[in-house]
Amino acid sequence: DAGVTQSPTHLIKTRGQQVTLRCSPKSGHDTVSWYQQALGQGPQFIFQYYEEEERQRGNFPDRFSGHQFPNYSSELNVNALLLGDSALYLCASSLAQVRSYGYTFGSGTRLTVV
Amino acid sequence: GDSVTQMEGPVTLSEEAFLTINCTYTATGYPSLFWYVQYPGEGLQLLLKATKADDKGSNKGFEATYRKETTSFHLEKGSVQVSDSAVYFCALRSETSGSRLTFGEGTQLTVNP
Protein backbone atom coordinates (compact mmCIF):
# COMPACT_ATOMS: atom_id res chain seq x y z
CA ASP A 1 0.00 0.00 0.00
CA ALA A 2 1.69 3.19 -1.20
CA GLY A 3 1.84 6.01 1.28
CA VAL A 4 1.92 9.68 0.40
CA THR A 5 4.05 10.42 -2.66
CA GLN A 6 5.57 13.83 -3.34
CA SER A 7 7.46 15.13 -6.34
CA PRO A 8 10.01 16.35 -7.01
CA THR A 9 12.19 15.50 -4.02
CA HIS A 10 14.50 18.46 -4.50
CA LEU A 11 14.17 21.70 -6.43
CA ILE A 12 16.28 24.80 -6.92
CA LYS A 13 14.60 28.00 -8.12
CA THR A 14 15.59 31.62 -8.57
CA ARG A 15 13.94 34.52 -6.74
CA GLY A 16 10.85 35.73 -8.55
CA GLN A 17 10.16 32.42 -10.27
CA GLN A 18 7.13 30.23 -9.80
CA VAL A 19 7.11 26.61 -8.59
CA THR A 20 4.62 23.73 -8.54
CA LEU A 21 4.89 20.85 -6.11
CA ARG A 22 2.84 17.69 -6.41
CA CYS A 23 1.33 15.21 -3.97
CA SER A 24 -0.51 11.90 -4.28
CA PRO A 25 -2.33 10.94 -1.08
CA LYS A 26 -2.34 7.57 0.58
CA SER A 27 -4.81 5.14 -0.95
CA GLY A 28 -8.24 5.64 0.58
CA HIS A 29 -7.56 9.16 1.83
CA ASP A 30 -9.59 12.09 0.52
CA THR A 31 -8.04 15.11 2.22
CA VAL A 32 -4.68 16.73 1.52
CA SER A 33 -2.90 19.30 3.65
CA TRP A 34 0.31 21.16 2.94
CA TYR A 35 2.90 22.24 5.50
CA GLN A 36 6.04 24.34 5.28
CA GLN A 37 8.97 23.29 7.47
CA ALA A 38 11.81 25.77 7.70
CA LEU A 39 15.19 24.45 8.77
CA GLY A 40 15.27 23.62 12.47
CA GLN A 41 11.58 24.39 13.02
CA GLY A 42 8.30 22.56 13.26
CA PRO A 43 5.96 22.35 10.27
CA GLN A 44 3.57 25.26 9.69
CA PHE A 45 0.13 24.67 8.18
CA ILE A 46 -0.37 26.25 4.75
CA PHE A 47 -3.82 24.98 3.68
CA GLN A 48 -6.03 21.96 3.30
CA TYR A 49 -8.03 20.65 0.36
CA TYR A 50 -11.11 18.46 0.46
CA GLU A 51 -13.59 17.79 -2.34
CA GLU A 52 -11.42 19.92 -4.64
CA GLU A 53 -11.87 23.03 -2.55
CA GLU A 54 -9.61 24.88 -0.13
CA ARG A 55 -11.25 24.26 3.24
CA GLN A 56 -8.84 25.87 5.65
CA ARG A 57 -5.85 28.17 5.34
CA GLY A 58 -2.98 29.09 7.59
CA ASN A 59 -1.17 32.40 7.82
CA PHE A 60 0.42 32.37 4.38
CA PRO A 61 0.18 35.03 1.64
CA ASP A 62 -1.81 34.65 -1.54
CA ARG A 63 1.39 33.79 -3.39
CA PHE A 64 0.72 30.31 -2.04
CA SER A 65 -2.12 28.58 -3.86
CA GLY A 66 -3.21 25.06 -4.46
CA HIS A 67 -5.46 22.69 -6.26
CA GLN A 68 -6.99 19.27 -5.68
CA PHE A 69 -7.94 16.98 -8.53
CA PRO A 70 -10.82 14.49 -8.74
CA ASN A 71 -8.43 11.63 -7.90
CA TYR A 72 -7.57 13.49 -4.64
CA SER A 73 -4.03 14.37 -5.70
CA SER A 74 -2.95 17.93 -5.09
CA GLU A 75 -0.60 20.66 -6.21
CA LEU A 76 0.99 23.51 -4.28
CA ASN A 77 1.92 26.58 -6.30
CA VAL A 78 4.13 29.37 -5.07
CA ASN A 79 4.51 32.55 -7.13
CA ALA A 80 7.13 35.29 -6.95
CA LEU A 81 9.50 33.16 -4.90
CA LEU A 82 11.42 34.77 -2.06
CA LEU A 83 14.58 33.53 -0.39
CA GLY A 84 12.49 32.93 2.72
CA ASP A 85 10.39 30.38 0.87
CA SER A 86 13.31 27.96 1.04
CA ALA A 87 12.03 25.06 3.14
CA LEU A 88 10.88 21.47 3.17
CA TYR A 89 7.30 21.29 1.91
CA LEU A 90 5.33 18.41 3.35
CA CYS A 91 2.10 16.97 2.08
CA ALA A 92 -0.14 15.07 4.48
CA SER A 93 -3.23 13.06 3.70
CA SER A 94 -6.10 11.89 5.87
CA LEU A 95 -9.69 10.72 5.81
CA ALA A 96 -12.09 13.57 6.46
CA GLN A 97 -14.52 11.48 8.49
CA VAL A 98 -11.94 10.37 11.06
CA ARG A 99 -11.07 13.43 13.15
CA SER A 100 -8.82 11.70 15.64
CA TYR A 101 -6.62 10.21 12.99
CA GLY A 102 -3.09 11.49 12.63
CA TYR A 103 -2.13 12.50 9.16
CA THR A 104 0.13 10.39 6.94
CA PHE A 105 3.01 12.53 5.73
CA GLY A 106 5.09 12.28 2.60
CA SER A 107 8.87 12.64 2.58
CA GLY A 108 8.60 16.19 1.34
CA THR A 109 10.01 18.41 -1.39
CA ARG A 110 13.13 20.36 -0.48
CA LEU A 111 12.83 23.79 -2.16
CA THR A 112 15.88 26.04 -2.33
CA VAL A 113 15.44 29.59 -3.60
CA VAL A 114 18.64 31.32 -4.71
CA GLY B 1 -4.72 30.30 19.84
CA ASP B 2 -3.34 26.81 19.89
CA SER B 3 0.30 26.30 20.76
CA VAL B 4 2.73 23.52 21.64
CA THR B 5 5.90 23.96 23.69
CA GLN B 6 8.62 21.33 23.72
CA MET B 7 11.62 21.10 25.96
CA GLU B 8 14.67 22.81 24.58
CA GLY B 9 17.08 20.54 22.77
CA PRO B 10 19.16 18.94 21.58
CA VAL B 11 19.18 15.88 23.82
CA THR B 12 22.16 13.51 23.84
CA LEU B 13 21.96 10.14 25.62
CA SER B 14 23.91 6.94 25.84
CA GLU B 15 22.37 3.74 24.58
CA GLU B 16 19.96 2.12 27.09
CA ALA B 17 19.39 5.41 28.94
CA PHE B 18 15.91 6.61 29.93
CA LEU B 19 14.35 9.25 27.70
CA THR B 20 11.90 12.00 28.56
CA ILE B 21 10.95 14.78 26.14
CA ASN B 22 8.58 17.29 27.69
CA CYS B 23 5.60 18.70 25.82
CA THR B 24 2.96 21.11 27.07
CA TYR B 25 0.13 22.64 25.11
CA THR B 26 -2.43 25.40 25.02
CA ALA B 27 -5.73 24.71 23.29
CA THR B 28 -9.44 25.07 23.79
CA GLY B 29 -11.50 22.06 24.71
CA TYR B 30 -10.06 18.60 24.40
CA PRO B 31 -7.50 18.38 21.59
CA SER B 32 -6.09 15.21 20.12
CA LEU B 33 -2.37 14.91 20.85
CA PHE B 34 0.37 13.35 18.74
CA TRP B 35 4.05 12.59 18.68
CA TYR B 36 5.74 12.49 15.28
CA VAL B 37 9.31 11.43 14.51
CA GLN B 38 11.46 12.68 11.65
CA TYR B 39 14.55 10.76 10.61
CA PRO B 40 17.27 12.57 8.64
CA GLY B 41 16.15 13.45 5.13
CA GLU B 42 12.66 12.07 5.62
CA GLY B 43 9.14 13.28 6.29
CA LEU B 44 7.19 12.88 9.50
CA GLN B 45 6.04 9.52 10.84
CA LEU B 46 3.28 9.21 13.40
CA LEU B 47 4.79 7.65 16.52
CA LEU B 48 1.79 7.62 18.84
CA LYS B 49 -1.40 9.49 19.67
CA ALA B 50 -4.00 10.05 22.37
CA THR B 51 -7.44 11.49 21.87
CA LYS B 52 -8.83 12.02 25.38
CA ALA B 53 -7.67 12.75 28.89
CA ASP B 54 -5.72 9.97 30.66
CA ASP B 55 -5.27 8.04 27.40
CA LYS B 56 -1.82 6.50 27.02
CA GLY B 57 -0.41 6.25 23.52
CA SER B 58 2.36 3.72 22.95
CA ASN B 59 4.44 2.40 20.08
CA LYS B 60 7.92 0.86 19.64
CA GLY B 61 8.65 1.22 23.36
CA PHE B 62 7.67 4.90 23.45
CA GLU B 63 4.82 6.07 25.67
CA ALA B 64 3.00 9.32 26.37
CA THR B 65 0.02 10.02 28.64
CA TYR B 66 -2.55 12.75 27.95
CA ARG B 67 -2.64 14.83 31.14
CA LYS B 68 -5.46 17.35 31.00
CA GLU B 69 -4.76 18.78 34.46
CA THR B 70 -1.20 19.75 33.54
CA THR B 71 -1.86 20.17 29.77
CA SER B 72 1.06 17.89 29.05
CA PHE B 73 1.93 14.96 26.81
CA HIS B 74 5.49 14.00 27.72
CA LEU B 75 7.24 11.36 25.61
CA GLU B 76 9.13 8.58 27.44
CA LYS B 77 11.14 5.50 26.59
CA GLY B 78 12.79 3.23 29.10
CA SER B 79 15.85 2.24 27.08
CA VAL B 80 16.85 4.17 23.97
CA GLN B 81 18.77 2.75 21.03
CA VAL B 82 21.10 4.36 18.51
CA SER B 83 18.35 3.90 15.91
CA ASP B 84 16.08 6.23 17.92
CA SER B 85 18.25 9.19 16.93
CA ALA B 86 15.88 11.60 15.17
CA VAL B 87 13.86 14.76 15.65
CA TYR B 88 10.68 14.37 17.70
CA PHE B 89 7.68 16.68 17.29
CA CYS B 90 4.74 17.06 19.63
CA ALA B 91 1.54 18.20 17.89
CA LEU B 92 -2.12 18.82 18.59
CA ARG B 93 -5.37 19.05 16.69
CA SER B 94 -7.94 21.04 18.63
CA GLU B 95 -11.71 21.13 18.41
CA THR B 96 -11.63 24.67 17.03
CA SER B 97 -8.70 24.32 14.62
CA GLY B 98 -10.50 22.25 12.06
CA SER B 99 -8.07 19.80 10.55
CA ARG B 100 -4.94 21.84 11.19
CA LEU B 101 -2.09 20.28 13.16
CA THR B 102 -0.11 22.64 15.40
CA PHE B 103 3.47 21.50 16.00
CA GLY B 104 6.10 22.23 18.55
CA GLU B 105 9.59 23.27 17.50
CA GLY B 106 10.94 19.74 17.67
CA THR B 107 13.58 18.08 19.85
CA GLN B 108 16.71 16.60 18.32
CA LEU B 109 17.66 13.32 20.01
CA THR B 110 21.10 11.79 19.53
CA VAL B 111 21.84 8.38 21.06
CA ASN B 112 25.48 7.36 21.29
CA PRO B 113 26.63 3.72 21.46
Side-chain angles (χ1 to χ4, degrees):
Chain A
D1 179 23
V4 176
T5 305
Q6 291 187 243
S7 63
T9 55
H10 296 82
L11 202 53
I12 299 174
K13 289 287 189 178
T14 303
R15 274 182 302 173
Q17 285 189 317
Q18 179 265 344
V19 68
T20 298
L21 310 181
R22 294 176 175 82
C23 171
S24 293
K26 181 178 179 179
S27 177
H29 285 183
D30 57 8
T31 302
V32 172
S33 299
W34 287 90
Y35 288 80
Q36 180 195 65
Q37 186 180 13
L39 195 63
Q41 297 184 19
Q44 298 292 316
F45 177 79
I46 302 175
F47 44 52
Q48 182 189 72
Y49 277 83
Y50 171 64
E51 292 185 329
E52 302 180 47
E53 291 188 12
E54 183 182 294
R55 298 293 179 169
Q56 194 173 1
R57 189 177 184 92
N59 189 26
F60 280 80
D62 292 344
R63 298 187 297 108
F64 289 77
S65 64
H67 188 77
Q68 185 180 35
F69 300 94
N71 67 352
Y72 307 119
S73 66
S74 177
E75 289 181 349
L76 164 65
N77 301 292
V78 187
N79 294 323
L81 284 167
L82 303 174
L83 295 180
D85 295 332
S86 295
L88 180 67
Y89 288 84
L90 295 167
C91 172
S93 71
S94 62
L95 190 57
Q97 296 171 342
V98 185
R99 273 196 57 82
S100 63
Y101 189 80
Y103 291 147
T104 300
F105 281 82
S107 297
T109 294
R110 173 72 63 186
L111 172 65
T112 302
V113 182
V114 297
Chain B
D2 300 339
S3 68
V4 176
T5 302
Q6 290 184 231
M7 65 183 293
E8 293 184 7
V11 174
T12 302
L13 297 173
S14 298
E15 204 165 23
E16 299 184 0
F18 184 85
L19 168 71
T20 299
I21 300 178
N22 290 336
C23 170
T24 57
Y25 67 88
T26 300
T28 55
Y30 293 85
S32 295
L33 302 175
F34 307 89
W35 276 100
Y36 281 86
V37 58
Q38 186 173 37
Y39 297 100
E42 299 185 12
L44 301 177
Q45 298 178 24
L46 178 64
L47 182 59
L48 53 83
K49 66 182 175 78
T51 58
K52 61 182 186 294
D54 299 325
D55 266 2
K56 177 183 284 188
S58 62
N59 185 27
K60 299 180 181 178
F62 291 89
E63 293 183 340
T65 301
Y66 188 142
R67 301 289 188 197
K68 180 67 175 174
E69 64 275 14
T70 55
T71 61
S72 65
F73 193 54
H74 303 322
L75 182 67
E76 297 182 334
K77 186 175 185 183
S79 177
V80 293
Q81 305 300 311
V82 172
S83 58
D84 293 327
S85 297
V87 181
Y88 292 82
F89 292 94
C90 185
L92 70 81
R93 182 178 178 179
S94 74
E95 296 174 340
T96 58
S97 68
S99 299
R100 168 196 317 225
L101 285 174
T102 299
F103 287 87
E105 293 294 305
T107 300
Q108 172 74 58
L109 170 67
T110 301
V111 180
N112 296 317

